[in-house]
Structures are given as C-alpha cells and as structure tokens.
Amino acid sequence: MFLRILVAIGWLAISSNGADKDWPVYGHDPGGQRFSPLTVINRENVSSLKVAWTYRTGDSYAPQRGRPTAFEATPLCVDGKLYLGTPLGHVVALDPVTGKEIWSYDAKVPRDKGYGDFTNRGVSTWVSLAGKRRIFIATLDARLIALDAGTGKPMQDFGDNGIVNLRNGLRIAPRGFADYEETSPPAISGSTIVVGSGIADNGSVNQPSGEIRGFDVVTGKLKWTFDPIPQDPKAPGADTWKNGSAQRTGAANAWSIIVTDPARNLVFIPIGSASPDFYGGERVGNNVFANSVVALRADRGQLVWYFQTVHHDLWDYDVASPPVLFDVHRNGKTIPAVGVGSKTANFFILNRETGEPIFGVEERSVPKSDVEGEVSSPTQPFPLAPRELSPQTELTPEGVWGATDDDRKWCREEVSKLRSQGIFTPPSVHGSLLLPGNIGGMAWGGAAYDPSHHLLIIPTNNLPTEVFLIPREEYRNEVQAGRNFNGDWEYAPMTGTPYGMKRRMLLSPHGSFCIPPPWGMLNAVDADTAEVKWTVPLGAFPSINGSPAGPPEFGSISLGGPIVTAGGLIFMAGTLDPAIRAFDVATGKELWKGELPTSARSTPMTFLGPDGKQYVVVAAGGHGIRGGPPLGDYVVAFTLSK
C-alpha cells in the first residue's frame, strides 16, 4: 500500500511539472478538459499562424478489403519531445521545434485483417519516482506495449519483454483480429494503467466480451477486471439481463477515451452497446452497464457509481465521447462534475462523486418496437438541461432537404417508406429512420472545457441513418445472391438472432443529404447553468465525387474534438474539408483557418516549445471517403509567423 501511494504521489507531482507548457495526456490533463493555459497565440494574433513543419509517418494504407487507416492520434508533449502512435503500431518521438524524428518503434501490426476501426488515437506516458519515463501504446491487434521514452526500446520488466497480450483472459475470447481491437490510449492513474477495447458490435450475440482491466504500470501484471455485463446474479445490474443473457452476450466495451481523477482515485469509463446493436431480443432488459458512464476505483476496479444514458440500446448509441471533468458553480457551491456526451445528442452533467444528475434527468416515453421478439424500453433518460444539441425530432417527407429537385424527390419518397418518429424510433423489418444516426449527435471527438469562461465546447453532427432488419432466411439469400457489400449499405449478420441488418446514411443517389443543414455544429454550454450560449456551423462540406461544395453555413460532419486555450481560442479540425480552424471561445466566431494536406480526423494539441514559441499540432490522415480528401499520414505543426 505504501509503495502504491508513493507511486501515485510521484506520478502526480512529476506529471504536473511543466503541464503549463506541455501536453502530457491525451486530453491535456487526466480529466480530459483539453484546456491549455498558454496565451502566446491569442485572439489578436491567431491570424498570423503559419505551418512550421510537417512530418509524415508512412502509415497511410488502404487494404484491398476492409477499411483504410484512420490517423486519429493526438500527440503528447513531455520532456522536450513529441510522442505519437499510428494505426500500424508505430510509436514515434519527434523534435517539437523541427519535426525531425528522434526514434521510431515498430510494433508490426498485421495490415490485412479487415479491422473495423483501422486507427490509433495516441499513446500514454508515465514517469517513476526516479524520473524514468515510459511510453505506452495499446496497438490495434490488442497488445499493451511499454517503451523507454528515451530510446524507444521495449521495457523488459513489463509483461513479456515489454508486451501484455490483451486478447488473453476474456470471458468471451476473440475469434479474429477484426472483432477485438485497441484503438484508444490507455488511462493511467497512480500505479494502474487502465484499458478498454474496441469490439465489432454486430457480428453476433456472443461477440468478444468488453471487460475493463487495470494492470500494474511497472510490471504489467493484472490488478483487476470489471465486466460491464454483470456475471454474479447478485451483483448490481444483474437483474437487467433476462433469461441468462449476461453469460452469452458480448461487447458493452469501452472503446473511447477513459479519463481519471487521481485525487479521488477514480476512473470514468465510457461504455458502448452490447452485441448486437440493432436487435435486443436475446438480451431482454435495460442491460446495465452497457451505454453507461461508470466510475471505478482506479487501484482495484471497484464500482462506485454508474449512470446509464440509453436503456436496452437498439441504435448503436454508444457513449462514444470521452467524459470530461470540471466544476459546476451553483447556488453558492462548487460541485465536482463529469460531463457525458452521447450519440443521442444528449449531454448529461453529473456529480462526479455520486453520479447524480446536477440539472435533473427525466424518463420520457419513446416509440415501441414492432419487431417480433423485441422488448424495447418504454422510456429513455433525457437531461432537463442542457437541451439536445442536434435535432431529435421526426423527419417527415415534407421536411426533407436536397441539393436539387431530383434529390428532394428521392428523399421524400425514401422517407415516406420509413418508420420515422424522432429519436429512439426502433429498427424495423420495413425500415426505420434513426435521428440522430449512429454517427450523429456527439461522436468520439468529445467536449473541451474552458475554466476561464466556465464553458463546455461540444461539436455535434446532424445526420440520420436508415436501418432495416432482415429476416434470417432473406439475409442468407442476399449473401448467396452475391449482393455487393461494398456499396452504400453496411451489412451485418447479427448471428444468434432471427435477423441480419443493413444500414446507411440517408443520402440521395447523387450524394445529397436528406436532412436540412447545418450538418455539423460547434456548441458552447455554460457549465454553471447548462444554458446553450452559442451554436455555429462547423467546417464546410467539400466536393465529393464531383458534387458541389457546400457553403460555410451548412457545416460539415466531424470526427475529432476541440481544444481550448487561455488565449481565448478554440482549435478544431475533424471536419471533412482539409482544414483546422480557430474560434473565439466567447462568441464562436471563426478567426483563422489553416489549410491541411488532407482532412484531419483527429483532435489537435498545443505546447510551448523550447524556443519560446507556442505550437498547434494536428494529425491529418483523411476520412477514408471515396471521392473525398485523400488518405494521408501527415503531422502538421503551426506557429506564429515572424
């Protein structure tokens, strides 16, 4: 115990040293605020930002089958070096002023395994009391690797010669590379390194299980395991898994960013849906702790509290956004809070110590499923404040949008065929319109918090999905008929249920969105009142496959998050157009746009270099959209021109 306390104190002391100028954690601080106190770049001079250097990783790759790489990393800056990870498992140390490579480690991740999310969002770091720093990467093929920060060599005393195989020891073992991945950096609190997993949701009922695990940061030995699907019939939440479904159901995994509160010895886990997403007849009940944020004791994995954002998920409404820790100042009190975003476009603000909603939550009636065997939840939780941050209302044939008369005609006809009753419209055999769709609302980019203005900065997407459940025999016939599975429709077998599934974004054949713009927005929410202070369109929709580019007021869907600085600025990339932007945090006004070699599907970071200059760095790898900005492997740094 004494050693654990010493390690924890040492980590806190050393990790905070230089934090004003560095970016030592994915979200800048353990609680993920993404706020930098730097002011060298500010509202008055941000228009003078220019490219300082560009580095290329060499890891852009498009396999013949499956998705291409997605370069989503946010670099870290500590001890005068930048560290980043790549989809293919390279870890690179760079000179922060020149972008020159200092060392590179190759984890040799297999390339052609049909990964569901071919990505890596970055690395983590820890330093011992003796000042010895380690860099950790959780690779796509599910290995946790510890490297010496100075040399890039594996730490031989960690795991098996520097490596822990995360595919071992699960309740339901992985069957292949594509169904069990690691896509996000691990979280570190004290002497514990915490990892979740990325799991393909819709392959079968018994997808790999989504245990959250804590390992010793020095030795790599397993310290604790938390299964979000309770296995003990007497455990909290076990009664929400009917008919023995807890034992056979997989997923309910944490694929997004885990954040920590070292002072309270807490980790906050964003948990996704159980398998499969779109049919729950084999897992009747509310399915706690799926689709929840869970607070655990960092050193032993003990449950402290949970809050479920969606009951019995049928929509792929993961808690995709990283939680963010901040304080709410209300009625003369300071309340430690955690903000939790969802693909539903609901943002919940909870007491960090208890999980109780600070601004209230109510259960509202939602549409009932008409699918045989399905038992949908009659109600779902909605925050009383803030309001929803992207549309949740029914899309009618009269309310569709399209770039041309032909597009609008197609959209009206398509929407008229679908069940459309607003948010939580259940999937159906005849087709349902989900609004928000599975990449609508709040995606994995998450929120930033500005403690100077007490503002939460939250990007949202406005994009519906149409989904069909396909009876099993018909699904098999489609497969046997050689249906083109590489087109607009995404198919999934959902083995172990009576149905397969197909889904797609609701776009006309010419690529026109069927829902009125804006399609991407940036929102500011007052953390003390939960009032939405401003909303602006985010980005611009580029020309794709020859279609005309959208005007700025239409915005763009985004995958990537914002950061905030004490210079009064928000920096945000992630949009489909190849750019990074700076906004005034007080008003949302766009103050600067920097051109990138391709679009950036990532969250930027900032630091003060040893030369006294402030740099803003972003990874630009494209969005993997046919006809859109190309794939890339760029790391681009900006600084003020002389």
Side-chain angles (χ1 to χ4, degrees):
M1 175 64 76
F2 181 67
L3 178 60
R4 274 206 307 269
I5 294 172
L6 278 180
V7 173
I9 293 172
W11 183 86
L12 282 168
I14 297 172
S15 67
S16 63
N17 181 31
D20 285 355
K21 64 182 181 68
D22 287 345
W23 195 275
V25 188
Y26 177 89
H28 183 269
D29 64 279
Q33 290 188 359
R34 305 184 198 175
F35 174 80
S36 169
L38 296 178
T39 59
V40 177
I41 302 171
N42 52 56
R43 294 183 181 97
E44 286 68 40
N45 61 22
V46 67
S47 62
S48 298
L49 280 181
K50 302 292 183 185
V51 173
W53 53 260
T54 299
Y55 172 81
R56 302 194 67 174
T57 69
D59 270 13
S60 174
Y61 181 65
Q64 290 186 344
R65 298 186 64 185
R67 296 180 180 179
T69 52
F71 192 18
E72 298 177 351
T74 296
L76 303 186
C77 180
V78 287
D79 300 339
K81 296 185 183 71
L82 288 186
Y83 298 94
L84 62 101
T86 74
L88 289 174
H90 284 95
V91 180
V92 182
L94 302 177
D95 183 295
V97 173
T98 66
K100 300 295 184 183
E101 185 178 300
I102 299 170
W103 58 254
S104 177
Y105 168 81
D106 184 3
K108 295 181 170 56
V109 169
R111 291 171 175 246
D112 296 294
K113 297 297 183 180
Y115 298 110
D117 286 307
F118 203 156
T119 192
N120 177 275
R121 298 187 183 95
V123 297
S124 303
T125 186
W126 173 87
V127 63
S128 70
L129 289 172
K132 194 70 173 177
R133 184 174 294 280
R134 295 183 174 193
I135 303 296
F136 293 91
I137 183 170
T139 61
L140 189 60
D141 59 346
R143 289 173 290 155
L144 179 61
I145 303 176
L147 305 174
D148 183 290
T151 66
K153 303 296 184 184
M155 302 296 298
Q156 299 301 311
D157 58 347
F158 182 86
D160 182 6
N161 296 315
I163 300 174
V164 171
N165 188 339
L166 298 173
R167 302 172 73 83
N168 295 336
L170 298 170
R171 172 172 55 86
I172 303 177
R175 294 176 288 275
F177 282 91
D179 62 356
Y180 191 86
E181 305 171 353
E182 295 288 339
T183 56
S184 292
I188 302 175
S189 183
S191 62
T192 306
I193 183 165
V194 183
V195 294
S197 57
I199 293 173
D201 299 320
N202 286 302
S204 65
V205 167
N206 62 337
Q207 287 298 98
S209 47
E211 290 97 321
I212 319 301
R213 288 175 287 180
F215 295 88
D216 188 282
V217 76
V218 176
T219 67
K221 291 183 178 179
L222 181 66
K223 297 175 71 173
W224 54 260
T225 297
F226 176 81
D227 193 333
I229 301 180
Q231 297 302 296
D232 183 346
K234 298 180 180 179
D239 59 345
T240 67
W241 299 84
K242 308 298 184 184
N243 305 323
S245 59
Q247 284 69 46
R248 63 177 178 266
T249 304
N253 52 298
W255 59 266
S256 189
I257 308 297
I258 297 168
V259 302
T260 72
D261 184 341
R264 291 178 171 83
N265 186 30
L266 293 176
V267 291
F268 298 89
I269 316 292
I271 298 177
S273 53
S275 62
D277 283 339
F278 292 95
Y279 178 76
E282 307 301 326
R283 50 175 173 85
V284 175
N286 275 0
N287 304 147
V288 169
F289 302 96
N291 305 89
S292 301
V293 60
V294 171
L296 306 177
R297 293 292 176 206
D299 59 348
R300 58 186 185 275
Q302 177 188 14
L303 176 68
V304 178
W305 58 259
Y306 76 94
F307 179 86
Q308 190 174 48
T309 64
V310 176
H311 310 317
H312 191 73
D313 184 20
L314 302 175
W315 307 270
D316 191 16
Y317 281 160
D318 295 341
V319 183
S321 297
V324 56
L325 308 187
F326 56 95
D327 289 336
V328 169
H329 305 90
R330 193 168 188 236
N331 300 325
K333 297 180 179 179
T334 298
I335 306 169
V338 54
V340 184
S342 170
K343 292 181 183 180
T344 61
N346 291 327
F347 191 85
F348 299 91
I349 301 177
L350 311 173
N351 186 303
R352 197 186 317 168
E353 296 177 330
T354 66
E356 292 296 319
I358 294 174
F359 296 97
V361 168
E362 67 179 7
E363 293 283 334
R364 299 178 189 169
S365 297
V366 294
K368 182 179 179 180
S369 175
D370 61 2
V371 173
E372 184 178 357
E374 183 59 83
V375 184
S376 58
S377 175
T379 65
Q380 294 289 349
F382 291 80
L384 299 182
R387 62 164 174 78
E388 69 276 9
L389 296 178
S390 64
Q392 297 178 335
T393 54
E394 174 186 0
L395 180 63
T396 65
E398 295 73 28
V400 302
W401 189 90
T404 66
D405 289 341
D406 286 344
D407 287 335
R408 286 188 292 276
K409 180 176 183 294
W410 185 92
C411 290
R412 280 194 297 270
E413 291 176 352
E414 189 69 12
V415 169
S416 67
K417 302 173 188 174
L418 302 172
R419 182 177 181 183
S420 175
Q421 296 174 273
I423 190 171
F424 297 117
T425 298
S428 65
V429 173
H430 302 291
S432 294
L433 179 64
L434 312 187
L435 185 66
N438 60 296
I439 60 169
M442 285 154 239
W444 64 262
Y449 175 69
D450 180 357
S452 304
H453 297 83
H454 295 192
L455 286 179
L456 292 153
I457 307 301
I458 309 171
T460 52
N461 294 329
N462 175 24
L463 187 63
T465 299
E466 53 179 326
V467 60
F468 287 77
L469 298 182
I470 308 171
R472 179 62 55 203
E473 198 55 45
E474 293 180 25
Y475 186 85
R476 292 194 187 101
N477 291 339
E478 287 198 22
V479 174
Q480 292 169 359
R483 183 87 176 236
N484 178 13
F485 279 44
N486 295 317
D488 294 335
W489 290 102
E490 177 187 356
Y491 286 77
M494 302 202 301
T495 302
T497 78
Y499 305 95
M501 179 274 292
K502 67 177 182 179
R503 67 181 179 186
R504 67 178 176 181
M505 293 185 291
L506 186 59
L507 301 173
S508 76
H510 299 105
S512 174
F513 284 84
C514 289
I515 192 167
W519 302 308
M521 296 152 289
L522 193 62
N523 308 273
V525 174
D526 188 313
D528 297 334
T529 65
E531 176 188 0
V532 179
K533 303 299 289 185
W534 52 257
T535 297
V536 297
L538 175 61
F541 211 88
S543 173
I544 295 177
N545 290 321
S547 64
E553 60 267 25
F554 284 9
S556 165
I557 59 174
S558 64
L559 292 172
I563 67 170
V564 191
T565 76
L569 297 171
I570 302 162
F571 287 100
M572 175 80 193
T575 56
L576 293 181
D577 59 325
I580 179 174
R581 292 173 167 83
F583 301 85
D584 187 320
V585 72
T587 65
K589 180 181 179 182
E590 184 178 312
L591 301 178
W592 169 80
K593 183 175 78 169
E595 299 296 329
L596 296 171
T598 188
S599 58
R601 182 172 161 166
S602 61
T603 300
M605 53 83 75
T606 187
F607 63 91
L608 190 69
D611 57 356
K613 294 182 178 181
Q614 183 180 351
Y615 293 80
V616 177
V617 179
V618 66
H623 280 70
I625 297 175
R626 289 174 298 164
L631 283 183
D633 58 355
Y634 303 91
V635 182
V636 185
F638 295 85
T639 194
L640 294 173
S641 60
K642 295 181 180 179

